[in-house]
Each structure stands twice: as C-alpha cells, then as structure tokens.
Amino acid sequence: IVAIQDRAKKAGVANVETVLSAERDPKLPAAAVDLILLVDVYHELSHPYEMTRKMVDALKPGGRLVLVEYRLE
C-alpha cells in the first residue's frame, strides 16, 4: 500500500486511494467505484466468490470488474 501511495504522490496523482481488504471483503463502499482491475490476483483469493460478490456491490452503475489472469496455474 505504501509503495502505491508513494508512486501516486511522486506522479502528482491525487485521485488514488488505497484500501487494505480483508480475506472475504474488499472493504469498499457500495456503489462507489468505477473500475476494479485485478491482474494475476483472482487465483490467489482464498474466498473468491465472497470477494467477487462484494467487489461487484462496490461498483457504480455501469462500473466494471476486470480480471486479467495470464498464468497457467
């Protein structure tokens, strides 16, 4: 989280907010997010159904959940 915050600050990007999730909950407010991008992460989730359900709940109308999985695991 700190690395992302530092990188955003150095780049002058002010609209990045980091959130530390729990195992079953991304801890995002309902209908508050335009885009959730997970790159090579989904297969690592211990509770993928619960986490995905809550991520979808966090999306604004028309928001997108994008999963990029490129490993053959």
Side-chain angles (χ1 to χ4, degrees):
I1 289 180
V2 174
I4 294 169
Q5 293 168 334
D6 289 346
R7 188 171 179 184
K9 186 176 179 181
K10 287 177 185 175
V13 177
N15 66 342
V16 173
E17 180 180 346
T18 57
V19 178
L20 183 59
S21 71
E23 213 173 69
R24 297 174 191 245
D25 185 355
K27 296 188 178 180
L28 298 170
V33 180
D34 295 310
L35 173 70
I36 298 173
L37 172 63
L38 302 175
V39 178
D40 205 27
V41 170
Y42 187 80
H43 68 275
E44 299 288 351
L45 299 175
S46 60
H47 302 283
Y49 177 82
E50 295 86 349
M51 187 64 102
T52 302
R53 181 73 252 151
K54 293 206 175 197
M55 284 188 282
V56 169
D57 291 344
L59 293 172
K60 293 179 181 177
R64 294 182 183 183
L65 172 59
V66 179
L67 304 173
V68 179
E69 290 286 328
Y70 55 88
R71 294 189 183 191
L72 295 175
E73 295 175 335

